[in-house]
Amino acid sequence: MNTSDDLPSPVPALFPARGARERVDDLLTRELANANERIARGSVMPRLDMARFRQELAGFDFERPQSVEQLLAWSVAQLEHGAVHMTHPRYFGLFNPAPVAPSQWADRIVSAFNPQLASSGSSPAPVEIEAHVIRAIARRAGLPADAAGHFTASGSEANYTSLICALTRAEPRFSAEGVRAFSGPVALYTSRECHPAWSKIAHQAGVGRSALRLVATDGNGRMDSHALAGVVARDREQGVVPVLIAATAGTTGGGMIDPLASCAAVARSQGVWYHVDAAWGGAALASERLRGLLAGIELADSLTIDAHKWFATTMGCGMFVLRDAAVLSEAFRVATDFMPSNASSLDPYLTTVQWSRRFLGLRLFLSLAAAGWIGYGAHVERAVEVIAQVKSRLQARGWQAINDSSLAVLCVVPPAETGEIREIVRNLLSSGRAWVARSTFEGREVIRICATHGETTLADVDELVSALHTAG
Ligand SMILES: *Cc1c(COP(=O)(O)O)cnc(C)c1O
């Protein structure tokens, strides 16, 4: 028993003294920079012997404390050898970026302070910084000055939020009674080329996966707005209640942009919530040259834009933006007496899916403030140029482009003599020279190539093209 009137010392492994802590911080900074350089020279693909790794991992029984320096070195090594490298300049992958430096610095600052963003009472400055960034994004998209929104863990959370808002606005009794409040089964509409998470979202929201209507596309990966109008009208005749139309601005498979204005017109004429899922493509708003491609986005009731995709912040950093903020307060309201609320402002725990919340918005705030729209515009345009270079080089070797995207995604098929897509992708990945995806576009098997690294060079493009062409 402790008879002194002092407390036991803090656990040094968890709360090291300042000097010890700074040594480890500095060591880690150097080790990460070294690892980053090695990654760019090495394989895009993991090279870990998983059997050995699992054995090592099983050895961590947490019975004996270990040296943190060794643990950090071990952790860096597992990430260096045990994951596909988003930070490799020849990762032509699934919208996962090499993260920009200001976002990494933001994470460091936020980790040090660990503010709780549930309420503006706890975190007045962080809550306002986030709201400021969201308003800047909303204005850039052409939404009215009083548009609002919040950061989310992901694009999926933002899309889920759009459905909850749509249901809440469509039927005031939804809040109390759920979907039983509607006069018939509800439906939501997106295209066949939409992000597959929409079916999970329908499930989670309790409307059921069968409520999701996958509208036909036009042969070039974009929602057919006439087909959309037809499906909605037929549903209405059968007593179904349409609640949400979600157009995609930058499809995951092919980087295609649905006809945003025509889809908006269908939604307006039907009195249905109009959401634009611009999880990846929304970053094109930064570019003066490309933002016109998103014309019609300003008609949305709500938007999804992921900062962790083309804005290249660290994961996960989504955004939900909406025209009428009052819907959020209705959808996520709750009564508590323990929260340090500030009645004059909108507390995130009262307007969003999450409760405890990380300060995500500093990532985009710092990056956008450091680079400006002009810097992000250049970043986005550079990616489009990288893909244009890949496309012309592959076409010169007889490859055929299958999609016609103005953004940074290319879907191609090889000339017959080069080999089967499945083989080509498998051989390319096992060579570790570059990463691309096997995918489908408009029902056709393709190789999908997306520029996700802000420092990819023409030499990387040449290496990709040669690796692809010889991979069959
Ligand atoms: C990536 C993506 C999503 C899902 O976003 P997460 O952040 O991965 O949850 C939704 N829609 C589109 C169009 C996407 O590209």
Side-chain angles (χ1 to χ4, degrees):
M1 203 171 91
N2 183 5
T3 53
S4 90
D5 58 1
D6 203 1
L7 288 171
S9 343
V11 178
L14 302 178
F15 304 98
R18 174 163 172 174
R21 186 183 179 117
E22 283 179 3
R23 270 194 306 282
V24 175
D25 282 347
D26 292 349
L27 178 76
L28 190 58
T29 301
R30 272 194 310 281
E31 285 308 312
L32 289 174
N34 291 341
N36 204 42
E37 277 182 7
R38 287 193 301 271
I39 286 164
R41 290 194 303 266
S43 168
V44 189
M45 290 294 286
R47 291 281 193 238
L48 202 61
D49 176 346
M50 284 304 286
R52 211 181 117 189
F53 168 75
R54 288 198 186 97
Q55 215 168 20
E56 260 177 57
L57 190 60
F60 286 94
D61 58 5
F62 312 118
E63 294 297 338
R64 246 178 334 98
Q66 298 186 33
S67 138
V68 79
E69 280 90 344
Q70 281 171 23
L71 288 167
L72 292 178
W74 186 85
S75 304
V76 171
Q78 305 324 304
L79 279 156
E80 185 175 341
H81 302 294
V84 175
H85 288 305
M86 323 282 107
T87 58
H88 194 294
R90 289 191 300 281
Y91 175 75
F92 291 93
L94 301 176
F95 294 158
N96 307 307
V100 294
S103 172
Q104 297 183 49
W105 292 324
D107 279 343
R108 203 168 140 192
I109 295 171
V110 170
S111 293
F113 288 90
N114 203 31
Q116 166 61 285
L117 262 73
S119 87
S120 56
S122 306
S123 299
V127 167
E128 291 217 9
I129 290 171
E130 287 202 340
H132 181 77
V133 176
I134 293 289
R135 280 194 300 269
I137 295 287
R139 273 202 304 277
R140 190 80 185 174
L143 265 65
D146 57 350
H150 53 269
F151 280 84
T152 62
S154 65
S156 301
E157 182 195 326
N159 284 343
Y160 171 72
T161 303
S162 77
L163 178 55
I164 298 296
C165 286
L167 289 162
T168 301
R169 196 189 64 180
E171 172 50 67
R173 290 178 304 134
F174 171 71
S175 162
E177 296 168 31
V179 287
R180 294 184 304 280
F182 287 89
S183 61
V186 303
L188 62 149
Y189 305 80
T190 180
S191 91
R192 267 194 328 222
E193 292 277 325
C194 75
H195 192 278
W198 279 108
S199 63
K200 291 207 289 188
I201 288 166
H203 182 158
Q204 270 170 270
V207 302
R209 291 171 188 246
S210 64
L212 179 63
R213 304 281 190 270
L214 297 179
V215 176
T217 42
D218 64 355
N220 192 21
R222 294 172 302 212
M223 180 139 64
D224 177 339
S225 59
H226 299 292
L228 170 68
V231 177
V232 174
R234 267 196 304 287
D235 270 350
R236 276 223 197 276
E237 278 162 25
Q238 293 175 5
V240 170
V241 183
V243 292
L244 173 75
I245 291 173
T248 310
T251 57
T252 316
M256 302 308 301
I257 301 169
D258 287 345
L260 301 181
S262 332
C263 294
V266 175
R268 171 109 12 118
S269 73
Q270 294 286 336
V272 173
W273 187 280
Y274 183 47
H275 180 71
V276 174
D277 177 2
W280 171 71
L285 289 169
S287 157
E288 289 302 333
R289 186 151 67 72
L290 299 171
R291 64 192 291 195
L293 296 169
L294 300 182
I297 197 170
E298 72 284 356
L299 303 170
D301 290 303
S302 59
L303 298 178
T304 290
I305 300 181
D306 272 347
H308 71 228
K309 285 186 173 164
W310 216 350
F311 282 110
T313 70
T314 47
M315 291 195 207
C317 195
M319 290 179 279
F320 180 71
V321 181
L322 85 170
R323 179 178 295 276
D324 176 11
V327 185
L328 285 176
S329 300
E330 173 59 18
F332 298 104
R333 72 193 150 82
V334 67
T336 66
D337 47 18
F338 68 84
M339 290 294 285
S341 285
N342 176 346
S344 67
S345 62
L346 290 175
D347 281 327
Y349 81 100
L350 296 171
T351 53
T352 73
V353 170
Q354 298 177 28
W355 194 284
S356 285
R357 151 186 299 277
R358 185 177 172 87
F359 184 13
L360 298 174
L362 190 65
R363 298 168 178 176
L364 187 56
F365 174 80
L366 276 186
S367 307
L368 196 48
W373 290 113
I374 195 167
Y376 263 121
H379 165 73
V380 167
E381 288 167 19
R382 188 180 195 281
V384 171
E385 184 56 27
V386 165
I387 288 304
Q389 296 282 348
V390 174
K391 182 174 176 177
S392 69
R393 281 163 168 73
L394 283 173
Q395 282 176 327
R397 293 180 183 228
W399 291 56
Q400 190 191 347
I402 302 301
N403 68 334
D404 181 19
S405 171
S406 310
L407 301 179
V409 180
L410 174 64
C411 298
V412 281
V413 296
E417 67 276 13
T418 304
E420 298 283 324
I421 285 176
R422 179 186 297 268
E423 282 288 291
I424 291 173
V425 172
R426 192 173 54 218
N427 293 339
L428 177 75
L429 299 194
S430 67
S431 80
R433 290 167 74 190
W435 199 99
V436 300
R438 188 159 73 86
S439 182
T440 54
F441 179 75
E442 291 283 11
R444 184 162 177 192
E445 186 183 31
V446 294
I447 293 176
R448 176 190 179 282
I449 304 165
C450 175
T452 56
H453 196 302
E455 297 165 287
T456 296
T457 62
L458 275 185
D460 292 316
V461 167
D462 287 333
E463 171 81 2
L464 166 71
V465 167
S466 128
L468 269 175
H469 201 68
T470 54

